[in-house]
Amino acid sequence: MIITNELSKSFHNLEVLKKIDLQVNAGEVVAVLGPSGSGKSTFLRCLNGLEELTGGRMTVSGIVVDTKQSKKERAKQIQKIRLHTGMVFQQFNLYPHKTVLQNVIEALLVVKKWNKEKAIEKGENLLARVGMIEKRDEYPSRLSGGQQQRVAIARALAMEPDIMLFDEPTSALDPELVDEVLNVMKQLAKDGMTMVIVTHEMQFAREVADRIVFMADGIIYEQADPEKFFTNPDTERAKKFLKMI
């Protein structure tokens, strides 16, 4: 579902991602761990075209973006990728002037051009799936952080993505609200959704991920199944990280 070949990203003279090679298979849940500033979020944003690649190439859901392509061609490919990927951010980014249901169905109406009746039916089903149907007519300001994040997940699922990207989805939440979001994500994993999750929730990563990718200093230091990574990592850098947390 995702293949990156020597994917690189620089901001001016600062090299944030250094030739990242990674493969994510269909139905796989990959947790990306590492210290702050290691390039994890930038990597996720590259996959969804929110950051332009500086070097290398990526294939997402069969769609190729290569730095050898023209800027116009890359932009066209990124638009296609976005139809196949859903993204959930640290901050919920809900429209404050729209209700919960309106937030969820916006893309169905604007991008997919569905009629309102069909979109509402889909939106209500998704809100039920994340346990938010009773809040369908509320505005985001009246919701807790955990509730807003569950709405954001429903909104991302509305486009029926092949892949879900989560960028530290619980880091802006109060501790008591974290579980309600993680439980929705656990259910998505059980349903077979391909997921790449940047997270600081170690226990969640250990329970849910099929594979841990450990990043630091803009490179992937190691990849392993959760049990191996948390009990016996190969690299000194990973050992140091786990000791610190």
Side-chain angles (χ1 to χ4, degrees):
M1 294 298 278
I2 298 171
I3 304 167
T4 69
N5 305 105
E6 299 195 341
L7 187 151
S8 303
K9 175 64 186 175
S10 297
F11 295 101
H12 304 296
N13 295 327
L14 179 64
E15 198 177 12
V16 179
L17 297 174
K18 303 166 186 173
K19 297 187 175 180
I20 300 287
D21 290 326
L22 183 68
Q23 188 166 319
V24 178
N25 299 316
E28 192 177 17
V29 178
V30 173
V32 184
L33 309 182
S36 294
S38 58
K40 307 182 302 293
S41 292
T42 301
F43 176 64
L44 221 57
R45 291 171 68 83
C46 284
L47 293 179
N48 203 28
L50 292 170
E51 300 290 356
E52 279 193 41
L53 308 188
T54 311
R57 63 183 270 151
M58 64 182 188
T59 308
V60 180
S61 222
I63 302 150
V64 177
V65 175
D66 194 317
T67 45
K68 290 173 183 167
Q69 293 166 333
S70 69
K71 202 164 186 178
K72 191 177 178 183
E73 178 65 15
R74 286 205 304 269
K76 206 165 82 178
Q77 296 296 82
I78 288 293
Q79 288 301 330
K80 289 181 193 171
I81 283 173
R82 287 186 181 148
L83 294 173
H84 294 272
T85 55
M87 185 144 179
V88 178
F89 301 87
Q90 291 179 38
Q91 303 300 332
F92 325 116
N93 296 330
L94 298 175
Y95 292 118
H97 60 291
K98 291 182 183 289
T99 65
V100 162
L101 182 62
Q102 286 169 339
N103 265 281
V104 172
I105 67 174
E106 178 76 4
L108 295 176
L109 298 173
V110 175
V111 181
K112 289 205 167 181
K113 312 288 187 205
W114 283 18
N115 68 53
K116 199 161 188 184
E117 197 176 297
K118 186 182 175 188
I120 286 172
E121 186 184 348
K122 174 81 170 175
E124 287 177 341
N125 286 340
L126 287 168
L127 288 171
R129 190 173 172 186
V130 300
M132 288 297 295
I133 188 63
E134 75 285 358
K135 301 286 187 183
R136 72 190 286 282
D137 298 318
E138 295 280 9
Y139 287 90
S141 61
R142 295 178 59 84
L143 305 178
S144 71
Q147 289 172 328
Q148 288 190 59
Q149 194 61 296
R150 283 189 281 158
V151 173
I153 292 171
R155 177 184 58 186
L157 290 171
M159 291 292 285
E160 298 178 334
D162 303 326
I163 300 161
M164 284 286 282
L165 307 173
F166 291 88
D167 186 10
E168 298 188 22
T170 58
S171 65
L173 301 180
D174 293 330
E176 69 270 19
L177 302 175
V178 167
D179 274 355
E180 65 186 71
V181 174
L182 295 183
N183 287 337
V184 170
M185 293 169 68
K186 282 177 187 174
Q187 192 55 54
L188 284 178
K190 278 183 190 162
D191 293 344
M193 175 65 75
T194 306
M195 296 159 68
V196 182
I197 307 165
V198 171
T199 183
H200 289 300
E201 299 290 337
M202 298 298 145
Q203 190 56 41
F204 171 73
R206 194 169 189 162
E207 277 176 42
V208 176
D210 299 304
R211 179 161 41 114
I212 304 294
V213 171
F214 174 69
M215 282 182 75
D217 316 311
I219 63 174
I220 293 175
Y221 271 81
E222 65 180 283
Q223 303 182 45
D225 68 75
E227 204 51 42
K228 165 85 171 69
F229 178 78
F230 284 107
T231 57
N232 188 27
D234 290 329
T235 62
E236 287 305 317
R237 189 69 186 81
K239 286 172 186 172
K240 184 182 171 189
F241 171 74
L242 289 171
K243 202 172 178 182
M244 285 174 73
I245 61 166

